[in-house]
Amino acid sequence: MAPVRYSSAPQRRDELLRRLREAGYVSSSTAAAELGVSEMTIRRDLGQLAAEGLARRVVGGASLVDAGTAPPFDLRRGEATREKDAIARAALPLLAGAEVVALDAGTTVAALARLLPDGLTVITHSLPVLAACTERPDLEVVGLGGTYHRATRSFAGPSTRAALADLAIGTAVLSATAAGPSGVCSADEWDADTKRAMVAVADRIVLLLDHRKLAARAPLRVLGLDQADAVVVDDQATDDQLAMLRDHCPRVVVAGTGDRAAPQPATASARS
């Protein structure tokens, strides 16, 4: 079936708003295909809705302002899979010598969970991470309880925070909805709350960010980039984005995807 074309911007935005109210989230790429316009046009429309206070821009599209959730986990998991796999592989050397590692509920972190070296104690509130790690007899797994949150496929809330407060974490591996000079941000209140609790009890923070997160926006600040000990990003990040990361974080590792010659993995010391 041919896509229905919405040549009028007001008509298009009305349709996007209808979809937001119906589903709570609109994917830019899906809407572009179904409405017969470019993805750039959809991004402009969603930007206008966000400027009018009717939508919240998130990675890959927009959510309804009062929806209070990030795009569903299964939708996010299917995006930028090559970049996420490359980031997960490049992050492995950063876990050398670690004994206790906490993994958050991000889709990039879930890719890392499948590659973990043996002998680790893994602490997580993520159901996909738990599923991957409990299949491994060579890993000790500590599952954090709480209220199950379907959008992130993870447990969160007061019980999760309380459990984390009693733990000692060597390295916490976190993802994000967005990251920039102002900090590392999430689009989901529950997710942000658990990330902050992990940061509070971890000796070391490693961030996994695919390049799209460096152009995204999200409302809930979790931590500053200067609080991270290392950032792993794929080689589709621009030179300006890499420079920004190096200005704020002592170690930036660039994961090669094969699409372009990656800059040399950096241990940029920019914490001055």
Side-chain angles (χ1 to χ4, degrees):
M1 181 183 295
V4 177
R5 293 193 174 275
Y6 287 80
S7 56
S8 161
Q11 183 186 27
R12 240 184 1 258
R13 290 196 287 269
D14 285 346
E15 173 60 14
L16 291 171
L17 188 57
R18 183 193 70 77
R19 293 178 180 217
L20 279 167
R21 288 171 173 160
E22 180 176 280
Y25 172 73
V26 165
S27 162
S28 298
S29 58
T30 299
E34 293 178 353
L35 301 185
V37 295
S38 71
E39 192 169 343
M40 179 63 73
T41 296
I42 293 297
R43 287 199 292 267
R44 283 199 298 266
D45 289 338
L46 294 176
Q48 181 61 38
L49 291 175
E52 295 171 3
L54 300 173
R56 176 185 294 129
R57 296 302 306 276
V58 296
V59 173
S63 64
L64 197 61
V65 166
D66 61 1
T69 60
F73 181 94
D74 289 334
L75 176 62
R76 291 181 285 116
R77 181 170 57 184
E79 297 175 335
T81 54
R82 179 168 52 178
E83 290 91 336
K84 291 173 182 177
D85 287 343
I87 290 167
R89 291 192 299 271
L92 282 174
L94 298 175
L95 301 183
E99 296 182 359
V100 180
V101 174
L103 302 182
D104 81 355
T107 54
T108 310
V109 175
L112 174 64
R114 300 190 295 268
L115 305 176
L116 291 173
D118 59 16
L120 289 177
T121 295
V122 180
I123 297 169
T124 189
H125 61 302
S126 164
L127 194 59
V129 173
L130 283 169
C133 292
T134 52
E135 294 292 319
R136 299 264 308 269
D138 55 340
L139 298 176
E140 187 78 20
V141 182
V142 178
L144 301 170
T147 302
Y148 184 62
H149 191 210
R150 288 178 177 80
T152 59
R153 294 189 66 190
S154 66
F155 298 91
S159 299
T160 314
R161 283 199 310 273
L164 280 165
D166 288 335
L167 296 172
I169 295 171
T171 301
V173 183
L174 307 180
S175 57
T177 303
S182 61
V184 179
C185 300
S186 174
D188 185 280
E189 292 182 9
W190 293 42
D191 178 62
D193 184 58
T194 308
K195 289 183 196 298
R196 292 182 191 121
M198 281 187 174
V199 169
V201 296
D203 296 331
R204 186 166 172 264
I205 307 296
V206 173
L207 294 175
L208 307 187
L209 303 171
D210 75 70
H211 70 278
R212 301 169 309 142
K213 310 299 176 65
L214 302 176
R217 298 290 184 270
L220 303 170
R221 190 175 186 273
V222 175
L223 73 158
L225 275 173
D226 59 348
Q227 292 177 258
D229 297 278
V231 175
V232 187
V233 65
D234 64 88
D235 60 7
Q236 300 309 295
T238 67
D239 291 340
D240 286 346
Q241 289 169 337
L242 291 174
M244 180 275 296
L245 290 174
R246 290 169 179 153
D247 282 344
H248 290 83
C249 188
R251 185 172 188 185
V252 177
V253 177
V254 181
T257 63
D259 281 351
R260 77 174 200 183
Q264 290 298 315
T267 57
S269 57
R271 229 181 237 175
S272 56

